[in-house]
Amino acid sequence: MLEANESTPVTAKRSQSQLISLCVNGEWREVAVKPRLTLVEVIRDSIGLTGTKASCESGACGACTVLLEDRPILACLTLAIECDGKRVQTVEGLAEGGKLSAIQDAFLDQGAVQCGFCTPGMLMSATALLRDCPKPSREEINKALEGNLCRCTGYNAIVDAVLQASGQGVEPVMK
Amino acid sequence: MILLDFGYERAATLQQAAAWLARLGDGAHVLAGGTDLLPSLRAELVSPGVLVGLSGIEPEPPRLTADGSIRIDALTRLSSLAHAGLVREKLPMLADSALAVGSNQIREMATLGGNLCQETRCLYLNQRHDYQFAAPCFKRGGDCCHPFPRNDRQTCWSVHMSDIAPALIALGAELEILGGAGMRRIGAAELYTGSGLQPLSLGRAELVRAVIVPPPPPRSGWGFHKSTVRGGLEFGMAVIAVSLQLAEDGASCCGARIAVGAVRERPLRLESAERALVGARLDDERLARVAPDAAKALNPLPHHGFTRRHLLDNVAVYLRRALAQAAERARTGRA
Ligand SMILES: Cc1cc2nc3c(=O)[nH]c(=O)nc-3n(C[C@H](O)[C@H](O)[C@H](O)COP(=O)(O)OP(=O)(O)OC[C@H]3O[C@@H](n4cnc5c(N)ncnc54)[C@H](O)[C@@H]3O)c2cc1C
Ligand code: SF4
Ligand code: FES
Ligand code: FES
């Protein structure tokens, strides 16, 4: 038996759901979560935003990348309960007033989207990169996107899209 | 999806986390960045009753202590570690080793303490066991070893793949360990037992609180190399970290620390190679002789598809280059 004193956790609430608040794309929501649920499961299944993908669920592909307090993290390796009171931005939060963000536009323009499964994660990693570093070099883009796998495009179009969105001489292809 | 249910408690301080772990006993497990623990939970390598979360504790920024050492909070995220001005300036090898870990997202989440305390790895271990390898191996409490059928239940040849531990060992770092009995301080290499079954020397309720790195001595230089296949988001096949110090004559070596990770159950210090360098002139010929001998002494375990022969050759080549780079940095005084 645990003694009830200051340093004793209230109870081991095995499997019981707890209510957490998350600010998702600017809107606060309360969700009941079991401790074992990951952020990507809660975003997709409880909140219903299915833009964020769950693919490898082991940290190796980046498809589940979202911004937590503005930092790019893997939602498949994050317990939702650890995000209580925090801000999350998903791919659905990139467009403003129905207008795509510059990086989304550039992805479309450069043909950086084929099957699209990696795209939400790529966009979130690229968004975080451009906030920290508005004019990244090719090398910096490669490093920032090393955790996002794409099995279709061969990456060059994606890197070009980031260069285009940061206004660095890459000409629009389709427009 | 994690199939096991567990409870979750967020600790407000590291002391509180240590006290909870002590009280809750074997069923409790500490969660830092989760980038190692969550895959282990999914693979059912661990099955805690309660997770004690450290994410509510704000790490102290790295700081210079009175004796010139640099103290780094164990909860520091690897992205902050890699970019902290003090670390980049005084301990560039440590910053580089942090930058070598995983991917950008992993470094945003992962902590220094979690990196040092990560689970060992083996192709047969760190994945779910229900589809490929139904029989649990020794490390999972079963009675076989898939890659090494002649191993017995005391022997597990999983490897410890921290990129940062070899750098800390080569830098002569110490760790502050917090436990029920108070604080103790150990050398970074002493965190590891050398057993794949029980890789860490920590007691059940002990936590790494901080890493203390002494200032690099004058006329010293470093070399770091992580061997990989594709060079991004990948565990190392071998991780090499070297610190060398030159004597006042600027040519002979008066101090050497060499550590290699990812090839054994723990990051290893290569003391025989260190002895072969101290007192000698650091010319190319000497380095070309020491490196292959050191690789042999290391006796690397074949792991993740790399043969022993391949690892021997790889370590021999890149250790020679890391030593040459360290000697060059020590000579020119350039970080
Ligand atoms: C796709 C992928 C790639 C990776 N690549 C690399 C790589 O290239 N190099 C590398 O070194 N690692 C790699 N890792 C492993 C892991 O991400 C890192 O080692 C990371 O630093 C672990 O830190 P964490 O804070 O996330 O640890 P957690 O997962 O929170 O914890 C890991 C273990 O350490 C214990 N622990 C955590 N903090 C403490 C503490 N302060 N005191 C005592 N025990 C503690 C936990 O209980 C747990 O058992 C990779 C992981 C993934 C998923
Ligand atoms: S080396 Fe260790 S982890 Fe790998 S199968 Fe054998 S006992 Fe299991
Ligand atoms: S689904 Fe999270 S990294 Fe692949
Ligand atoms: S577009 Fe198909 S995985 Fe990237």
Side-chain angles (χ1 to χ4, degrees), chain B residues 137-151:
Chain B
C137 68
F138 293 129
K139 179 141 179 165
R140 282 180 178 255
D143 51 17
C144 66
C145 174
H146 298 281
F148 307 109
R150 291 211 297 264
N151 273 1

Side-chain angles (χ1 to χ4, degrees), chain B residues 49-62:
Chain B
V50 188
L51 288 187
V52 174
L54 305 182
S55 67
I57 310 171
E58 190 57 36
E60 262 184 58

Side-chain angles (χ1 to χ4, degrees), chain B:
Chain B
M1 197 193 298
I2 299 170
L3 294 176
L4 293 159
D5 268 318
F6 45 79
Y8 172 84
E9 301 291 343
R10 186 187 311 219
T13 63
L14 208 62
Q15 282 81 351
Q16 188 179 48
W20 285 354
L21 290 172
R23 272 159 203 281
L24 290 165
D26 279 341
H29 209 101
V30 70
L31 170 71
T35 60
D36 183 58
L37 189 56
L38 260 70
S40 292
L41 287 168
R42 218 171 246 131
E44 293 176 23
L45 254 179
V46 282
S47 40
V50 188
L51 288 187
V52 174
L54 305 182
S55 67
I57 310 171
E58 190 57 36
E60 262 184 58
R63 65 179 162 85
L64 214 52
T65 64
D67 68 353
S69 301
I70 291 151
R71 185 179 189 281
I72 307 167
D73 196 311
L75 298 182
T76 307
R77 306 273 169 189
L78 300 189
S79 52
S80 327
L81 179 61
H83 296 115
L86 183 65
V87 178
R88 282 236 71 92
E89 183 201 340
K90 306 267 185 204
L91 307 169
M93 169 150 73
L94 179 58
D96 273 15
S97 71
L99 215 49
V101 174
S103 64
N104 196 37
Q105 297 95 314
I106 301 251
R107 292 187 294 274
E108 289 284 352
M109 305 165 72
T111 64
L112 174 58
N115 187 273
L116 300 179
C117 298
Q118 64 181 274
E119 186 52 277
T120 51
R121 305 189 72 84
C122 158
L123 268 187
Y124 302 84
L125 180 69
N126 319 79
Q127 55 172 304
R128 286 193 58 85
H129 251 218
D130 48 8
Y131 57 100
Q132 281 193 68
F133 314 108
C137 68
F138 293 129
K139 179 141 179 165
R140 282 180 178 255
D143 51 17
C144 66
C145 174
H146 298 281
F148 307 109
R150 291 211 297 264
N151 273 1
D152 56 36
R153 79 182 48 254
Q154 272 81 46
T155 320
C156 159
W157 282 342
S158 54
V159 294
H160 197 272
M161 305 193 85
S162 165
D163 293 331
I164 299 179
L168 288 180
I169 294 170
L171 287 166
E174 296 195 333
L175 309 178
E176 273 181 22
I177 309 290
L178 179 72
M183 273 276 312
R184 62 190 181 104
R185 208 157 143 163
I186 58 173
E190 294 163 52
L191 179 61
Y192 304 103
T193 60
S195 156
L197 297 168
Q198 201 51 266
L200 299 182
S201 64
L202 294 181
R204 182 166 45 73
E206 280 190 321
L207 293 169
V208 180
R209 184 168 85 172
V211 174
I212 319 280
V213 193
R219 298 177 307 278
S220 64
W222 59 279
F224 179 83
H225 177 80
K226 173 178 177 178
S227 291
T228 57
V229 176
R230 38 165 221 258
L233 185 53
E234 200 179 348
F235 283 96
M237 72 171 88
V239 180
I240 296 163
V242 175
S243 297
L244 294 178
Q245 189 187 7
L246 291 177
E248 282 188 12
D249 66 8
S252 58
C253 174
C254 71
R257 297 180 72 98
I258 306 173
V260 179
V263 291
R264 296 287 321 190
E265 307 91 322
R266 66 167 155 200
L268 280 186
R269 224 180 124 178
L270 291 178
E271 282 166 10
S272 58
E274 293 172 4
R275 279 195 301 274
L277 290 172
V278 173
R281 289 178 66 88
L282 295 176
D283 50 35
D284 290 349
E285 215 177 298
R286 160 80 51 172
L287 301 185
R289 227 166 332 118
V290 167
D293 288 351
K296 251 178 246 131
L298 188 65
N299 192 17
L301 288 169
H303 69 88
H304 299 89
F306 305 112
T307 62
R308 195 178 115 82
R309 182 76 249 163
H310 184 80
L311 293 170
L312 275 171
D313 290 348
N314 189 281
V315 172
V317 170
Y318 288 102
L319 177 57
R320 176 170 55 73
R321 292 186 191 173
L323 287 168
Q325 198 175 29
E328 177 65 15
R329 285 186 169 118
R331 271 192 287 267
T332 59
R334 255 176 305 202

